[in-house]
Each structure stands twice: as structure tokens, then as C-alpha cells.
Amino acid sequence: MTDTLTLTRPMQIVERFWDAMRRGDLGSLDLLLDDTIRWENVGLPTVRGRATVMRALSALNLPGAGFDVKIHRITADGKTVMTERTDVVIVGPLHIAFWVCGVAELTDDGKLTLWRDYADVWNITKGFVRGIAGIAFPALRPRL
């Protein structure tokens, strides 16, 4: 018999990860990453290792910087979790929203060992253009 908690735990860990990203909680993010984490944004160079990923994520705490996310769908197959979501990168008054599909793989102790995101360049470009327009007309900024 399969334990229901065992099936939902990987999704809950990934949801905690995205919540920590939203809050810019670097301490919680650090605890969720395995030392051998690989962060892949398909089409860009892979970021390898917890310390290197944490250096990159430290930008979340720069003045005027931020991040928001809305998970539209989440599913898991064992320790692999997939999300369909909208990410918002915030740099001062610029809010860039774009669709992302992501995969996270977890270790047996619940740490992320792979974080891979797939995003469409055209969708990111539209988000950037809308973000620029949102500086002049704040009503155009993305609302999650």
C-alpha cells in the first residue's frame, strides 16, 4: 500500500522552494538545495553546485529586486516534480512575467539535485515589452 504522504511530499518540498523564492528567503533556499544541484535554464549555461546557485540567487535581495511566481499545475512521479507556472522577475519598476515549465529532481532526503526550466524566448520578450509599458502605465504590470 502506498502512503499518501509519501506521494505528496515531493510536491510540498517544491512548493516550499517556490515560496522561499517568492519571499527571497535565501536561508530556506540554501537548506532545500543539495550540494550537487544543477540549475539549468534550457539554452543557457548550467549553474552547478549549491554555493554557485546561492550566489546567483543572492540577487533576490538586491535593492529593488524581487521575484513572484504562480504555480498553475504541479505533479510528481516519485522524486521528480513538474510545474507549469508564471514567473515574474522584478527589477525596480520593471516586472517581467513569463510562462515556464520546470522539472525538479529530489534526493532521498528531499533536497533539490536538479532544477531545470524551459521557457519560450518569444513569451519572455512579450513579458519584457509589457513590463516596459508597465513602468509608464502601472495598470499593465502583471498581476498574479
Side-chain angles (χ1 to χ4, degrees):
M1 181 171 165
T2 304
D3 181 4
T4 304
L5 182 60
T6 303
L7 293 176
T8 59
R9 186 168 182 264
M11 287 189 292
Q12 291 170 337
I13 292 167
V14 170
E15 287 171 332
R16 278 200 315 258
F17 173 81
W18 289 112
D19 186 53
M21 287 284 290
R22 179 184 297 112
R23 292 181 315 198
D25 184 348
L26 296 178
S28 292
L29 289 167
D30 190 47
L31 291 173
L32 290 168
L33 300 179
D34 187 72
D35 288 339
T36 64
I37 180 81
R38 287 185 346 265
W39 178 15
E40 301 174 359
N41 285 290
V42 174
L44 298 174
T46 298
V47 181
R48 297 176 188 278
R50 185 176 50 80
T52 307
V53 170
M54 288 306 300
R55 271 195 301 280
L57 294 179
S58 68
L60 291 171
N61 287 335
L62 293 174
F67 178 82
D68 203 358
V69 61
K70 175 166 178 59
I71 296 174
H72 304 290
R73 289 173 186 81
I74 186 168
T75 189
D77 182 11
K79 295 178 288 184
T80 301
V81 180
M82 294 188 72
T83 57
E84 180 184 351
R85 57 185 205 273
T86 299
D87 288 0
V88 181
V89 175
I90 301 165
V91 182
L94 179 64
H95 295 219
I96 306 167
F98 51 95
W99 174 90
V100 181
C101 183
V103 175
E105 291 179 0
L106 305 175
T107 61
D108 288 337
D109 62 348
K111 293 188 181 238
L112 278 78
T113 189
L114 172 69
W115 165 18
R116 180 183 298 131
D117 284 338
Y118 304 86
D120 178 72
V121 173
W122 176 240
N123 192 272
I124 294 170
T125 302
K126 290 188 300 185
F128 182 75
V129 169
R130 182 177 177 189
I132 293 289
I135 293 172
F137 305 100
L140 294 178
R141 283 188 184 153
R143 304 280 184 251
L144 297 179

